[in-house]
Amino acid sequence: MARMKFLCDAERCIECNGCVTACKQEHDIPWGVNRRRVVTINDGVPGERSISVACMHCSDAPCMAVCPVDCFYKSEEGVVLHDKDLCIGCGYCFYACPFGAPQFPQTGAFGVRGKMDKCTFCAGGPEPDRSEAEFQKYGRNRLAEGKLPACAEMCSTKALLGGDGEVIANIYRDRVTHRGKGGEVWGWATAYKVPGGAGGAQQPGGAAPAPAPGTAPATGGTKS
């Protein structure tokens, strides 16, 4: 059974917001709710990058852990879904989610929350697949139609990938290889303070790189 995941390639994202528009149109999402959004880091300075963010359908989802009424559940494909009939609008999931995925449309007085809404990976909800009741509450169930999420299909640069986690991981790995990047793309050099950055990055527990031919290994000191 495939395990569905999202992955956004920051090197390809052009901040067009096509994924955001596709999501809102596909599911007829009300104004004020954004299941998906584009976040720009280092805006206007060298190194600027954009990334499309939504519910990441975590393996160990914090929203599921904090919900007092257990309205969250997982599909067979690992998609984190929720039952709006059980949701009480407490907002715990909003504060627990590191991606800001849960949304609460405020249709009443200030501070009054409605039923929580979030990205469903275009997999609907607990109602019968492709039913009118399912569409009204959760939007279109594209997975039941054998299709991928609308946001990923709409991405013009294929920066946003959605589908079987192993497949999209292989696609991204192939892209990184062709870009000529090594271990630094995974952040080892930054996380473990490896000197030299790019080529010298190594995973924790890995052996240190061998010295170049004709050079003596480093001893950590100087000889007087």
Side-chain angles (χ1 to χ4, degrees):
M1 179 65 68
R3 180 165 185 80
M4 299 299 180
K5 289 291 183 182
F6 280 123
L7 188 153
C8 185
D9 187 346
E11 297 285 342
R12 287 193 175 209
C13 182
I14 58 174
E15 199 183 354
C16 67
N17 281 280
C19 54
V20 178
T21 304
C23 178
K24 293 185 75 70
Q25 180 176 351
E26 188 77 2
H27 305 297
D28 195 18
I29 299 174
W31 184 261
V33 174
N34 291 298
R35 292 185 177 181
R36 178 168 290 281
R37 64 192 187 281
V38 176
V39 177
T40 300
I41 303 171
N42 296 328
D43 191 8
V45 301
E48 174 184 324
R49 291 291 186 274
S50 295
I51 186 171
S52 180
V53 180
C55 175
M56 299 304 288
H57 302 279
C58 307
S59 300
D60 186 15
C63 56
M64 296 182 68
V66 301
C67 180
V69 294
D70 293 328
C71 77
F72 291 94
Y73 66 98
K74 280 189 179 182
S75 70
E76 294 181 354
E77 296 87 4
V79 179
V80 177
L81 300 174
H82 67 292
D83 188 336
K84 288 191 175 183
D85 291 335
L86 296 178
C87 176
I88 59 175
C90 66
Y92 285 5
C93 56
F94 174 80
Y95 294 108
C97 177
F99 306 105
Q103 304 285 303
F104 289 90
Q106 294 190 339
T107 56
F110 177 77
V112 178
R113 301 180 188 274
K115 297 288 187 178
M116 191 273 287
D117 189 271
K118 76 172 189 66
C119 163
T120 64
F121 208 91
C122 289
E127 276 74 13
D129 289 347
R130 304 171 66 181
S131 64
E132 182 63 24
E134 181 184 51
F135 179 80
Q136 291 299 326
K137 291 182 180 179
Y138 309 99
R140 186 175 170 188
N141 190 338
R142 291 174 59 90
L143 289 193
E145 300 173 7
K147 300 177 181 179
L148 292 176
C151 55
E153 286 199 354
M154 183 60 68
C155 183
S156 59
T157 61
K158 298 306 174 188
L160 181 61
L161 303 174
D164 186 346
E166 292 187 7
V167 174
I168 63 175
N170 289 334
I171 293 173
Y172 185 66
R173 187 179 297 110
D174 186 62
R175 290 181 183 180
V176 171
T177 302
H178 282 82
R179 288 171 189 162
K181 293 186 177 181
E184 81 281 0
V185 77
W186 306 109
W188 299 116
T190 301
Y192 296 99
K193 309 299 182 185
V194 178
Q202 62 179 10
Q203 299 185 11
T215 62
T219 59
T222 56
K223 186 176 180 179
S224 57

